Amino acid sequence: MTRLYNDPAEFAGEVLDGFVAAHQRWVRRVPGGVVRNTAKTPGQVAVLVGGGSGHYPAFTGLVGQGLAHGAVSGNIFASPSAQQACSVARAAESGGGVLLLFGNYAGDVLHFGHAAEILTQQGIPTKAFAVTDDVSSAPADQTAKRRGVAGDLTVFKAAAAAAEAGLDLDEVYRVAERANDRTRSLGVAFSGCTLPGADAPLFTVPEGKMAVGMGIHGEPGIGEADVPSADGLAELFVRTLLADLPSDITDVRGQRAGVILNGLGTVKHEELFVVYRRVAQLLAEAGVEVVDPEVGEFVTSFDLAGASLTLFWLDDELERYWTAPADAPAFRKGSLTPAPPAPEDLAVESAEQTVPEASEESREAARVVFTALEAVRKVIDGNADELGRIDAVAGDGDHGIGMQRGAVAAVDAAREALRLGAGAGTLLALAGDAWADKAGGTSGALWGLLLRSIANTLGDKEKPTAAAVSEGVAAGLENVLRVGGARVGDKTLVDVLAPFAETLATAVGESRGLTEAWGRAAEQADAAAKATADLVPKIGRARPLAEKSVGTPDAGAVSLALITDVVHGVLAERKGV
Ligand SMILES: Nc1ncnc2c1ncn2[C@@H]1O[C@H](COP(=O)(O)OP(=O)(O)O)[C@@H](O)[C@H]1O
Ligand SMILES: O=C(COP(=O)(O)O)[C@@H](O)CO
């Protein structure tokens, strides 16, 4: 149980406030996260790490000399937005480019990837890299599909030490890639975690059993076993990881490895030491020489009772970076010369917002779009708990909360845009950007993209026609497919968006008005959302839990169908746009 909180919605922000207040020697707060509070080294690559909140010391606790230059911090269990990553990167960079490092989760991949594009376009060369160390989340021949868990730390540490050593961006990226290729982790859990404000755990593990292959969001494991002794757990960990070696290691005898025994929440240091005692014996028996082992909490999941073991197979270069000194709030090694405090004022510019000139017809349409967004906010509010419940079956249970944050932000941005006299296109674009920024997560990125795609075809000059709306939805579908990489049948919101876009285009092609065409498409969307219950997920967080998800519809598909339905209501009331 997470007992100490104020307003659960404010939890992530308040964690950051307290963390910064307690660690001013290392960090300062900037919009989107934290950066080092020490002077920059001109020309050094800035290594930024990031992800959702709820995993301390990942990610903010790893900011400091020898480790990350900054951390981008999302809401609980939801990736931060591209806007947040850009803001932290601008504050942290010092002319050598930026490397963004994060675990391999759809939302993180989308937002950090987008941030890398934006920053590079703006003249800050930036690369993004996703860590994939969790052996239980995909087979050895599909390592790119694996999740990032406690092995985040070995990759962050190696890349950051390479940056500190003066390597350029391409070289630091190469080191991150090499460290990731040589990192493997396995986790287990004995009970689930409860998010602040929730009255039940996100998942449960039967009494006396442990979930094997547990992820850091409490994604249920790939198997279940009786709770073993401490030695039994050490044996499971070591046996599994020695059977999943990097491709360039055939014999472990004589190899050197960094080791992390990580507590995921409520497992005590004493228990970890008992497990580590046997891990060390087993590795020694296998002929593996352990270098700088770490036993403690490095990536957590609230009150999840669980642990993970990470092996980091070293070569000379990786060993140099693994053992290099570091000084961060939650990770210290060796000794280094303290850098002077940051002298510069990192205050981020906040420009007065303006909107492009719009025609009266487009401003009239903007009022309808605003009403539609308000209706979206209401329907999401009313269904947030149910969306969270559906998402928890095979995901991380945050879909309702994420959609709520996005919809609220979109309405606020749209209200401000109306006040400034925006046309329909600009209003929807600003609403989409705010949605992506405040929601984070996979659906935040995709909803931002979808709204922006529609906004682009509406523009601010013409009265939006049914054809323009339909083209915008089609462009949105194309962009979601391109960026998200899902296909129809993968059990995502694409399974609703595709038939919705197709039905809308057909009905508009038959010269139906927007309201009627949208109504037909919304009916189709509702049926398509229900039909996702029969599908087996092939992408995203639900994939490793494919069978568990059958019988429950996809959360993102359901929320999209709800939204198309309420927007139809608004159009019908207004007799079309
Ligand atoms: N690659 C993808 N393409 C399209 N939609 C996706 C993709 N991955 C996930 N989704 C959608 O996102 C929904 C989950 O949204 P959300 O809970 O906000 O994300 P997260 O899993 O990042 O917490 C899923 O139910 C699914 O509909
Ligand atoms: O939750 C996280 C990312 O999840 P998304 O599904 O990508 O939003 C974060 O905690 C791990 O970085």
Side-chain angles (χ1 to χ4, degrees):
M1 197 74 185
T2 302
R3 296 184 180 82
L4 299 177
Y5 55 86
N6 299 308
D7 175 356
E10 302 301 325
F11 189 83
E14 292 182 354
V15 168
L16 214 48
D17 289 342
F19 166 74
V20 172
H23 296 98
Q24 292 175 29
R25 176 160 85 75
W26 292 269
V27 294
R28 68 167 70 179
R29 183 127 186 211
V30 293
V34 297
V35 296
R36 285 189 198 173
N37 207 7
T38 47
K40 296 178 179 181
T41 305
Q44 188 172 96
V45 175
V47 174
L48 299 194
V49 301
S53 296
H55 305 302
Y56 191 82
F59 296 89
T60 51
L62 305 176
V63 175
Q65 273 184 276
L67 241 164
H69 294 77
V72 192
S73 196
N75 273 297
I76 295 171
F77 288 5
S79 69
S81 65
Q83 289 94 322
Q84 285 180 273
C86 289
S87 149
V88 177
R90 283 189 207 104
E93 70 91 26
S94 56
V98 174
L99 179 60
L100 303 170
L101 295 174
F102 46 89
N104 188 29
Y105 299 93
D108 290 306
V109 171
L110 293 175
H111 287 286
F112 282 110
H114 189 207
E117 282 172 12
I118 297 172
L119 289 163
T120 303
Q121 275 165 15
Q122 293 175 347
I124 303 173
T126 303
K127 287 178 178 260
F129 184 82
V131 179
T132 58
D133 58 308
D134 181 357
V135 301
S136 70
S137 49
D141 59 351
Q142 298 174 32
T143 49
K145 287 188 179 167
R146 289 180 168 177
R147 305 183 288 243
V149 287
D152 280 354
L153 175 61
T154 66
V155 180
F156 297 172
K157 174 77 178 64
E164 207 85 35
L167 272 60
D168 69 17
L169 180 58
D170 287 343
E171 280 291 287
V172 174
Y173 184 90
R174 177 190 60 75
V175 170
E177 211 169 22
R178 173 94 178 136
N180 185 54
D181 280 349
R182 291 188 141 235
T183 300
R184 300 285 187 277
S185 303
L186 174 69
V188 298
F190 314 108
S191 71
C193 58
T194 309
L195 302 183
D199 48 16
L202 202 49
F203 67 96
T204 53
V205 181
E207 193 58 36
K209 297 282 182 191
M210 77 177 173
V212 180
M214 171 65 51
I216 57 166
H217 304 95
E219 297 95 335
I222 49 166
E224 223 167 66
D226 290 341
V227 174
S229 63
D231 284 1
L233 180 58
E235 280 151 25
L236 172 75
F237 277 155
V238 173
R239 187 175 63 243
T240 309
L241 295 184
L242 292 189
D244 194 311
L245 296 171
S247 57
D248 56 348
I249 295 181
T250 45
D251 183 5
V252 297
R253 197 154 288 278
Q255 295 289 336
R256 293 164 69 76
V259 177
I260 301 171
L261 184 60
N262 176 57
L264 278 159
T266 61
V267 172
K268 304 301 301 175
H269 275 74
E270 283 85 350
E271 294 171 279
L272 292 174
F273 287 132
V274 178
V275 175
Y276 185 72
R277 166 192 155 276
R278 184 69 184 137
V279 167
Q281 287 168 356
L282 290 166
L283 289 173
E285 283 166 20
V288 178
E289 194 167 331
V290 172
V291 179
D292 278 11
E294 299 285 350
V295 178
E297 288 189 351
F298 301 95
V299 176
T300 62
S301 191
F302 285 102
D303 56 340
L304 191 147
S308 65
L309 182 71
T310 299
L311 296 185
F312 181 27
W313 298 99
L314 302 169
D315 57 18
D316 289 348
E317 184 186 38
L318 293 178
E319 182 163 340
R320 210 167 49 246
Y321 296 141
W322 175 239
T323 54
D327 181 30
F331 191 92
R332 293 173 209 167
K333 183 179 272 204
S335 64
L336 36 66
T337 313
E344 72 269 58
D345 178 6
L346 291 177
V348 176
E349 70 299 337
S350 66
E352 178 78 7
Q353 187 171 25
T354 55
V355 296
E357 207 181 308
S359 69
E360 182 44 44
E361 288 160 316
S362 185
R363 288 213 298 269
E364 175 61 33
R367 285 189 275 280
V368 179
V369 177
F370 176 71
T371 308
L373 287 168
E374 277 193 312
V376 168
R377 187 192 56 72
K378 271 192 208 126
V379 76
I380 292 299
D381 257 355
N383 288 274
D385 288 350
E386 177 60 5
L387 291 170
R389 191 196 63 77
I390 297 173
D391 188 36
V393 171
D396 56 356
D398 67 350
H399 186 65
I401 304 171
M403 291 292 288
Q404 251 178 330
R405 277 195 304 261
V408 167
V411 169
D412 289 348
R415 184 179 300 109
E416 177 61 8
L418 262 194
R419 191 186 68 79
L420 295 170
T426 293
L427 179 137
L428 196 54
L430 293 173
D433 288 352
W435 188 310
D437 186 18
K438 292 294 183 305
T442 313
S443 60
L446 298 180
W447 269 95
L449 194 61
L450 183 56
L451 297 187
R452 202 163 240 293
S453 307
I454 301 171
N456 286 344
T457 61
L458 297 189
D460 294 327
K461 297 279 175 258
E462 318 293 332
K463 175 179 171 157
T465 60
V469 173
S470 167
E471 271 166 37
V473 171
L477 170 64
E478 208 178 301
N479 286 331
V480 166
L481 293 174
R482 178 178 55 78
V483 170
R487 293 289 166 261
V488 169
D490 285 354
K491 193 160 185 167
T492 71
L493 56 83
V494 165
D495 290 309
V496 169
L497 187 55
F500 177 79
E502 196 182 316
T503 310
L504 183 64
T506 306
V508 168
E510 289 165 359
S511 305
R512 313 275 164 190
L514 178 59
T515 306
E516 187 188 346
W518 189 286
R520 285 186 181 198
E523 273 173 30
Q524 194 65 34
D526 182 52
K530 291 189 173 108
T532 60
D534 299 333
L535 296 175
V536 176
K538 299 205 185 59
I539 198 164
R541 205 189 281 290
R543 181 187 53 78
L545 298 158
E547 299 309 327
K548 231 181 141 167
S549 142
V550 174
T552 305
D554 174 65
V558 171
S559 59
L560 173 53
L562 286 169
I563 288 172
T564 60
D565 183 55
V566 291
V567 171
H568 177 238
V570 171
L571 292 175
E573 241 169 62
R574 299 285 166 139
K575 308 264 184 305
V577 183

